[in-house]
Amino acid sequence: MDKKRKILLALKDAFPHTIPIMLGYILMGIAFGILLQKSGYNFLWAFFMAVFIYAGTMQFIAVGLLASNAGIWSVFLIALMVNARQIFYSISMLGSFSKMKKKLPYMIHSLTDETFALFNLKKPSKDIDESYFMFFIAFFNHLYWIIGCVMGAMIGSEISFDTQGIDFIMTAIYIVIFMDQWKSASPHTPAVIGVIVSLICLFLFGAQNFLLPSLVLMTLVLGKLRSKLE
């Protein structure tokens, strides 16, 4: 099989899996673009932030940081705190990403929550190159986000848009992904451990601070039980 055909087949195989992410990313991107435009920044800012930052929460925070002329170290520390969970995603993807070769830098950059979930939930069809399959899942998700951000910034001056409650879209997508994972994976022990650990940390640390300790504790527990679960 020649390389062009291999890439095309991987693209066709990956695209349907990204459709559920499309709606959420474009709507959230539009909300960000409108907020950015209302703050005095045009669609070029939205485009470059979507391409190079590509972190939903951090981009929303960045609008306020730009308005307040925050220092570089303040931005660095906030970004590190907000996106610390990506460290755990990266650790779990070390094996898969070792096959990425020249695609590796982009795969690291494009590893969002939803892309990480799809990597663990979806597998390529028979005879489809897995590295290109994963690359196109990451690429399509990134493309949806860029489109949403630019669209929002371009139409932001024309409409009045209340973004309150729109973040529930991503929560709904997470629930759908979890249900799909529950149906396709067996045993359910890792999922049950994840839910229990999250609830415990939610009770101990509160809704604003439970995510990072949950990830740390899940990593430790699942690492300890790895030999029994595999």
Side-chain angles (χ1 to χ4, degrees):
M1 185 186 301
D2 62 75
K3 187 174 181 179
K4 287 185 179 178
R5 179 169 171 75
K6 182 170 70 174
I7 293 174
L8 182 61
L9 290 176
L11 183 152
K12 290 181 177 178
D13 198 46
F15 172 70
H17 300 304
T18 67
I19 292 176
I21 309 299
M22 181 193 301
L23 179 62
Y25 269 26
I26 289 181
L27 286 177
M28 288 292 293
I30 288 174
F32 166 76
I34 291 174
L35 179 65
L36 189 66
Q37 195 279 332
K38 299 293 186 188
S39 300
Y41 300 94
N42 64 23
F43 70 92
L44 289 176
W45 281 80
F47 173 77
F48 286 110
M49 290 177 76
V51 170
F52 293 110
I53 298 179
Y54 189 32
T57 304
M58 192 57 218
Q59 283 184 222
F60 279 95
I61 294 173
V63 177
L65 295 175
L66 285 170
S68 63
N69 293 318
I72 185 68
W73 286 109
S74 298
V75 174
F76 173 78
L77 288 175
I78 292 172
L80 182 63
M81 293 173 63
V82 170
N83 294 305
R85 64 188 185 283
Q86 307 292 343
I87 296 171
F88 297 94
Y89 296 168
S90 301
I91 291 173
S92 67
M93 296 305 300
L94 285 176
S96 299
F97 280 8
S98 65
K99 309 168 188 172
M100 289 298 173
K101 300 179 181 177
K102 293 181 179 178
K103 298 185 286 296
L104 179 60
Y106 180 73
M107 299 304 294
I108 295 172
H109 172 62
S110 58
L111 187 60
T112 64
D113 299 335
E114 296 74 19
T115 300
F116 175 75
L118 289 183
F119 284 165
N120 286 280
L121 181 61
K122 306 298 182 182
K123 297 298 177 187
S125 302
K126 186 180 179 183
D127 298 330
I128 298 296
D129 184 280
E130 186 172 11
S131 67
Y132 278 110
F133 174 82
M134 295 175 69
F135 169 80
F136 281 116
I137 283 180
F139 173 76
F140 279 123
N141 288 347
H142 196 179
L143 184 62
Y144 304 146
W145 181 249
I146 294 170
I147 291 172
C149 291
V150 173
M151 282 179 60
M154 294 182 74
I155 66 176
S157 60
E158 306 295 330
I159 62 172
S160 177
F161 184 71
D162 184 2
T163 61
Q164 185 175 6
I166 196 170
D167 53 341
F168 181 75
I169 293 173
M170 301 315 299
T171 304
I173 290 177
Y174 293 144
I175 293 172
V176 171
I177 290 174
F178 177 80
M179 291 173 65
D180 200 6
Q181 173 77 15
W182 181 272
K183 291 179 180 178
S184 62
S186 181
H188 300 310
T189 308
V192 173
I193 291 173
V195 171
I196 293 173
V197 168
S198 298
L199 290 174
I200 293 173
C201 290
L202 180 62
F203 176 75
L204 293 175
F205 300 101
Q208 300 298 323
N209 304 306
F210 84 103
L211 181 58
L212 194 55
S214 297
L215 289 169
V216 173
L217 193 54
M218 277 185 229
T219 302
L220 293 175
V221 173
L222 293 174
K224 188 72 174 177
L225 299 176
R226 179 178 178 179
S227 58
K228 296 180 180 179
L229 295 174
E230 289 183 340

